[in-house]
Amino acid sequence: MEFLYHMVPKKMIGDELLPLNYIKGLDNELYKQYSEKYRNSPERESLLQRKIPKLDCL
């Protein structure tokens, strides 16, 4: 059995958790804010393009 865990963002609005790359198409500034934590190393930055099979998203 596989599991996926995610913490609730501190400033969450609404009741749905959306993929970060999906948010990029809706609100570029919000995407920049939340993707910044992945830009501290090449390994983490590559996670922005990694596919999550269970969710069928990046």
Side-chain angles (χ1 to χ4, degrees):
M1 183 178 283
E2 295 179 38
F3 296 93
L4 176 69
Y5 296 93
H6 194 284
M7 59 185 240
V8 177
K10 291 178 183 174
K11 296 180 181 179
M12 185 163 172
I13 299 170
D15 58 359
E16 290 184 48
L17 186 62
L18 301 173
L20 187 56
N21 284 312
Y22 181 81
I23 292 171
K24 185 177 184 179
L26 299 176
D27 187 332
N28 199 41
E29 289 303 313
L30 191 60
Y31 172 81
K32 285 181 186 177
Q33 177 186 342
Y34 281 97
S35 65
E36 188 62 34
K37 64 183 174 183
Y38 293 97
R39 307 223 184 266
N40 62 0
S41 74
E43 294 83 19
R44 279 197 67 144
E45 190 163 7
S46 69
L47 293 175
L48 292 170
Q49 298 305 316
R50 185 171 178 188
K51 186 159 182 130
I52 303 171
K54 274 275 200 216
L55 300 177
D56 192 30
C57 66
L58 297 177

